Amino acid sequence: MQIREMTISQLGRKLNLARTSISRYVEDLVSELVIIKAAKNGPEIYYRINPTYLHRAKFLINEYLDKLIVE
């Protein structure tokens, strides 16, 4: 699996959202450990999804779907 790091500007272009809209949420996601600051190159900061968070989310989704199937 390739881990992709993106700047706020790159993420905005990918999601077709304004950079200012995204930057409001990025710091919240960083504080919640959903994403992490991966690198800094000049003025740009690169972020990526925290793999621990992603694994936990996957586990919870699978657990939820398993319960849904049993019911």
Side-chain angles (χ1 to χ4, degrees):
M1 179 174 102
Q2 178 185 3
I3 296 175
R4 177 98 198 274
E5 299 170 355
M6 299 177 87
T7 65
I8 292 175
S9 297
Q10 291 169 329
L11 188 58
R13 285 190 298 273
K14 187 83 163 175
L15 298 173
N16 198 28
L17 295 169
R19 185 184 194 286
T20 53
S21 298
I22 293 172
S23 61
R24 281 186 243 147
Y25 300 108
V26 167
E27 287 307 316
D28 289 339
L29 293 173
V30 168
S31 68
E32 296 286 331
L33 299 174
V34 174
I35 62 173
I36 55 177
K37 293 179 183 178
K40 184 170 169 111
N41 185 2
E44 295 288 351
I45 299 173
Y46 289 82
Y47 298 90
R48 65 181 162 96
I49 293 177
N50 181 345
T52 302
Y53 180 85
L54 197 57
H55 288 295
R56 179 72 180 145
K58 181 182 175 199
F59 173 80
L60 292 173
I61 290 169
N62 285 337
E63 189 177 70
Y64 173 76
L65 291 175
D66 287 345
K67 286 180 183 177
L68 204 62
I69 292 170
V70 170
E71 293 176 356

